Amino acid sequence: MEIITKFAIGQNVWTVVNCRAVCFEIKSIVYDGCTYYGPTRYDLTEESMCFGTKEELLKHVADGN
């Protein structure tokens, strides 16, 4: 079974944490039915909430998604 991810280890991505835009380097990828990224294997964010740029994140928030 091949799992293809949107981002790779070492890339920086943007997400929202405690109502703030946060950038982190991906150091862990976990697949458990869906893909999760995180700076550690204990602090994970679902792939659908990770964005390649701050502008993509802001557009997602502005669209009300």
Side-chain angles (χ1 to χ4, degrees), residues 25-54:
E25 180 182 348
I26 297 173
K27 294 188 178 181
S28 175
I29 300 175
V30 175
Y31 180 79
D32 184 22
C34 66
T35 305
Y36 296 89
Y37 302 104
T40 69
R41 65 181 176 158
Y42 303 107
D43 184 19
L44 301 171
T45 303
E46 189 174 338
E47 182 176 70
S48 64
M49 292 305 299
C50 292
F51 302 90
T53 65
K54 189 174 185 179

Side-chain angles (χ1 to χ4, degrees), residues 1-61:
M1 179 170 139
E2 183 179 3
I3 299 170
I4 299 172
T5 61
K6 185 175 177 182
F7 303 106
I9 289 180
Q11 281 187 278
N12 289 323
V13 294
W14 287 86
T15 192
V16 175
V17 176
N18 295 328
C19 298
R20 292 184 180 180
V22 175
C23 183
F24 68 90
E25 180 182 348
I26 297 173
K27 294 188 178 181
S28 175
I29 300 175
V30 175
Y31 180 79
D32 184 22
C34 66
T35 305
Y36 296 89
Y37 302 104
T40 69
R41 65 181 176 158
Y42 303 107
D43 184 19
L44 301 171
T45 303
E46 189 174 338
E47 182 176 70
S48 64
M49 292 305 299
C50 292
F51 302 90
T53 65
K54 189 174 185 179
E55 290 74 24
E56 290 175 20
L57 171 63
L58 293 174
K59 182 179 180 333
H60 175 78
V61 172

